[in-house]
Amino acid sequence: MKEIPLLMLLVYSYEDGLVKGVPLSPLEIGSLLVYDSKDRKVLLKVVGFEYVSSVEESRLVERAVNRVNEAFPYPLTPLSEPSKLVAKLKVVAELSEKGPVPFKSYIEPDSFLREPTSEDLSFLSKGGLFLGYLRSGSKRLNIPVKLDPEKVLTKHVIISATTGRGKSNLLKVMLWSLLDEPKVGVLVMDAHREYFEALSKHPNASENLVAFSPYPSRGELELSISTSLIEPSDISGSTPVTEAQFRLMWKFREMKGKEWIKSIFEVEEKELEQTEISPWIVLKAKLSKLLYIVGNECKGVFKAWDYEDNYSLSFLDLVKKSLNEGKVVLIDTSALSEEAELLIGNLIANHMLTERRRRRDKEFTPVVFAIEEAPRVLGKDVPDNAYQRVAREGRKFGLGIIAITQLLTVIPDDILANVNTKIYMGMASGRERRAAIDNAMHDLEGEEEEFAKLNVGEAIMSSSEVGMPVPIYVPDISELIRKVKMVAGQTDKIVEDD
């Protein structure tokens, strides 16, 4: 049955790009309305309200002058005199058959604006990457926002919000949709095992989800990594090293090949030059802590010497194969240090970028690296690392990033300029909200009030793949899990699992 949209507002003026009108139904900041004339459709958004007196202006001026000596401020529209609530709206875009385009015309006075329908915005639901539902103010519309994952993810995504507004949940929702059909590989460092707990419940998890853990449970592989896979640049991208220590690592790499880490621990002091002894002592201590090597014994996930085996040597091949098949790969780092987590991420990203640079054919399966607390690797004054290189040059090799951050202002401008999809959730700081507006792919001026009032799960997306900013409501991942269980006839477990 065809939707019958509700009339929401009567326009009385259009000036300097701002529409003003009298609400016919309840509206709020962020409400979406459609101007539908014979030759065009235009999407508008409520950006504010004001009260306008219906008393003649000359009378108001006269009364104000008569009371100029009064000790209290005189209101423009006294309660005893008639006034009207007026909504102020900003044009979002003109809606054409091919999608949104810039609006270059005008809105006629005495026009009625109505609610948007799924037919108006069908272009938002044509892809496989589910981000949530279109939002009108705080109202969730039954219009899913589903974009092309290959186009969006390889051109980089940033998700910015203060703590507790739903950044990690949004990533789970995105990954859940990617498990439906393996088109884009995604690597996620699962620092709290929250991604495995959610995504392992997807009906396609056994086929399209690959998870590694130091203590694997059912459905996971053991996390075991040979130190012979590690390059000096992987180390320097994950823990601070001096120039002398970096040179020493490369000296051992050139002399001993893939066994360079083992050689650093086995070399005797008398074999080193005098200027190398101090950097060597400190470097060995750093490597011992990072790789959890005590004496000559490997105590953690990194394997060396007699602890190395074919499985640990094959770690990179297993990961790269899974990513190139378009699968989601989770690395459980809940028992590892932050530096060890960064080392694993750098190791994989470095190898994939180097490998793809060398390939002559340019037909790549898109692969994306999800980075929580992104300023650790993408922030200003951070040492050079693989994530930065992917952010700056990865797209031409089919590599992208999903950067998750609380602070947009600490990400360098050149990296932000390379990110074509920005998703903003609740931001507590006015400085961060200003940075979000300034760095958006579309004009978000005048929408500061909506930014300040975004609730948990509410977002504004600005992407080069959509010709307009899109307000989104992101459902909790538990809602998607419940739907799967209901389809499978397991409704008796829903309350128990929640």
Side-chain angles (χ1 to χ4, degrees), residues 187 237 255 319 451:
L187 177 72
M255 291 192 308
V319 171
F451 266 85

Side-chain angles (χ1 to χ4, degrees), residues 287-308:
L287 292 175
S288 295
K289 181 182 178 182
L290 177 62
L291 304 175
Y292 200 14
I293 296 174
V294 182
N296 279 346
E297 291 189 21
C298 300
K299 299 289 187 179
V301 300
F302 299 101
K303 309 300 181 184
W305 298 280
D306 296 335
Y307 297 85
E308 211 169 46

Side-chain angles (χ1 to χ4, degrees), residues 10-120:
L10 175 62
V11 174
Y12 75 81
S13 79
Y14 177 63
E15 186 177 355
D16 297 328
L18 202 65
V19 172
K20 292 185 179 181
V22 179
L24 304 176
S25 298
L27 296 174
E28 56 186 341
I29 297 294
S31 289
L32 298 177
L33 302 177
V34 172
Y35 168 69
D36 193 351
S37 68
K38 293 180 180 179
D39 58 344
R40 62 184 180 273
K41 288 182 185 178
V42 181
L43 184 68
L44 301 96
K45 177 192 278 191
V46 176
V47 294
F49 297 97
E50 64 183 14
Y51 281 97
V52 176
S53 172
S54 56
V55 179
E56 289 183 13
E57 186 178 356
S58 59
R59 284 187 57 202
L60 291 174
V61 172
E62 180 183 349
R63 293 186 64 176
V65 169
N66 291 338
R67 292 172 175 258
V68 73
N69 295 321
E70 301 225 1
F72 57 89
Y74 183 74
L76 178 66
T77 307
L79 294 176
S80 60
E81 294 183 340
S83 63
K84 283 287 186 183
L85 174 67
V86 171
K88 297 183 289 185
L89 298 93
K90 174 184 175 181
V91 173
V92 177
E94 184 172 340
L95 306 177
S96 71
E97 293 181 359
K98 296 181 180 180
V101 296
F103 180 64
K104 299 178 180 179
S105 187
Y106 61 92
I107 305 293
E108 296 177 359
D110 295 326
S111 301
F112 287 99
L113 305 188
R114 60 169 175 79
E115 283 186 312
T117 67
S118 55
E119 182 182 349
D120 298 325

Side-chain angles (χ1 to χ4, degrees), residues 112-264:
F112 287 99
L113 305 188
R114 60 169 175 79
E115 283 186 312
T117 67
S118 55
E119 182 182 349
D120 298 325
L121 299 155
S122 59
F123 57 87
L124 289 176
S125 307
K126 293 184 176 179
L129 177 65
F130 176 65
L131 297 166
Y133 296 93
L134 187 67
R135 177 177 55 81
S136 178
S138 58
K139 180 181 178 182
R140 164 176 161 173
L141 304 182
N142 192 27
I143 302 174
V145 179
K146 300 175 71 176
L147 306 182
D148 185 328
E150 298 176 60
K151 291 181 179 179
V152 171
L153 297 180
T154 55
K155 294 178 182 176
H156 310 317
V157 176
I158 195 164
I159 302 170
S160 183
T162 192
T163 302
R165 294 305 178 98
K167 300 186 298 293
S168 296
N169 179 68
L170 172 55
L171 180 57
K172 290 174 196 170
V173 167
M174 293 166 66
L175 295 173
W176 183 273
S177 67
L178 293 174
L179 289 174
D180 290 335
E181 189 176 355
K183 288 187 175 180
V184 177
V186 185
L187 177 72
V188 183
M189 297 295 153
D190 196 356
H192 306 290
R193 285 187 63 82
E194 58 181 308
Y195 293 99
F196 180 74
E197 289 299 318
L199 300 180
S200 60
K201 296 170 183 174
H202 192 285
N204 296 342
S206 60
E207 298 174 4
N208 299 332
L209 179 68
V210 179
F212 293 86
S213 174
Y215 310 104
S217 60
R218 184 178 178 182
E220 292 179 293
L221 300 172
E222 182 185 357
L223 181 60
S224 178
I225 306 168
S226 168
T227 55
S228 64
L229 300 173
I230 299 172
E231 296 289 348
S233 55
D234 301 327
I235 300 292
S236 63
S238 55
T239 190
V241 295
T242 65
E243 187 177 340
Q245 292 162 4
F246 189 67
R247 285 199 307 267
L248 192 59
M249 286 194 292
W250 273 110
K251 178 180 177 179
F252 277 90
R253 176 66 176 88
E254 290 169 359
M255 291 192 308
K256 301 296 183 178
K258 292 185 177 183
E259 300 299 315
W260 68 275
I261 292 178
K262 177 181 178 182
S263 299
I264 286 176

